[in-house]
């Protein structure tokens, strides 16, 4: 966990491992999947594909699989039904909120992040994961969202402004 004087800024992979242990979820970190999946969950066992090398990507994958643990019921691997796809999205949203959230975007701005790369680096997520989260937040909130004393604009580009 990376901390500043303002409190927790971003979660590290190890923090998610601790949370997993606290929830009696077991992690197989170098799983050898027959499929191309980066991560899979079966009951309370999560596998992270051995081919996932970067810590950031592993963090994003573990967060999403924990999202499945907390929000999903049944086997949804095939994604053949609307219900399966909705459950997949619910797990993704759980991961976005766990690793980023609106507060994370504000904190990144307060920390001086001015680019997607800097923000992803600060939040300890991949740029792809951050972009997907921003698309989700834009779909949920529209062009902007407010939190505490801040307005987060998602269009025309990401911007955070403090209300005075």
């Amino acid at each position: 966990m990376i901390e500043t004087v303002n409190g927790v800024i971003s979660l590290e992979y190890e923090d998610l491992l601790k949370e997993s242990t606290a929830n009696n979820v077991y992690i197989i970190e170098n799983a050898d999947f027959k499929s191309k999946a980066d991560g899979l969950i079966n009951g309370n066992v999560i596998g992270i594909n051995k081919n996932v090398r970067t810590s950031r990507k592993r963090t994003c994958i573990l967060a999403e699989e924990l999202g499945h643990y907390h929000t999903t019921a049944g086997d949804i691997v095939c994604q053949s039904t609307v219900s399966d796809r909705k459950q997949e999205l619910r797990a993704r949203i759980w991961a976005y909120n766990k690793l980023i959230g609106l507060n994370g975007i504000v904190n990144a701005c307060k920390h001086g992040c001015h680019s997607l790369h800097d923000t992803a680096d600060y939040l300890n997520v991949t740029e792809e994961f951050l972009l997907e989260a921003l698309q989700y937040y834009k779909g949920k909130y529209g062009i902007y969202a407010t939190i505490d004393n801040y307005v987060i604009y998602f269009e025309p580009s990401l911007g955070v402004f403090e209300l005075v």
Side-chain angles (χ1 to χ4, degrees), residues 13 18 41 50 62 78 87 90 128 147 150-151 157:
Y13 182 73
K18 288 176 189 172
I41 185 168
K50 68 180 182 180
L62 181 52
C78 291
Q87 288 191 76
R90 234 185 340 266
E128 178 185 19
I147 183 165
Y150 294 89
V151 177
S157 61

Side-chain angles (χ1 to χ4, degrees), residues 106 109-110 147-153 159-164:
V106 169
C109 181
K110 287 164 64 174
I147 183 165
D148 298 328
N149 246 12
Y150 294 89
V151 177
I152 303 168
Y153 283 93
V160 178
F161 301 92
E162 185 173 10
L163 300 171
V164 284

Side-chain angles (χ1 to χ4, degrees), residues 16-114:
L16 294 175
L17 289 175
K18 288 176 189 172
E19 181 176 327
S20 300
T21 299
N23 284 292
N24 294 317
V25 175
Y26 303 95
I27 310 298
I28 300 170
E29 295 191 67
N30 292 303
D32 191 9
F33 297 148
K34 292 179 183 175
S35 71
K36 293 183 180 183
D38 288 332
L40 292 171
I41 185 168
N42 185 3
N44 67 335
V45 178
I46 293 174
I48 307 290
N49 194 317
K50 68 180 182 180
N51 296 322
V52 177
R53 302 279 184 222
T54 69
S55 176
R56 279 195 191 144
K57 184 152 183 169
R58 291 175 85 79
T59 300
C60 296
I61 292 164
L62 181 52
E64 182 175 341
E65 296 309 321
L66 283 171
H68 283 295
Y69 175 76
H70 290 292
T71 67
T72 302
D75 181 357
I76 65 165
V77 172
C78 291
Q79 296 289 295
S80 58
T81 68
V82 172
S83 175
D84 290 353
R85 291 186 291 277
K86 284 182 179 179
Q87 288 191 76
E88 183 67 34
L89 179 59
R90 234 185 340 266
R92 265 283 159 125
I93 292 166
W94 190 95
Y96 296 152
N97 291 329
K98 183 76 172 175
L99 298 179
I100 300 170
L102 296 180
N103 280 318
I105 296 167
V106 169
N107 286 335
C109 181
K110 287 164 64 174
H111 186 73
C113 298
H114 298 292

Side-chain angles (χ1 to χ4, degrees), residues 96 100 116 126-136:
Y96 296 152
I100 300 170
L116 184 72
T126 64
E127 289 182 37
E128 178 185 19
F129 188 84
L130 177 58
L131 275 172
E132 291 169 358
L134 292 173
Q135 282 299 111
Y136 163 73

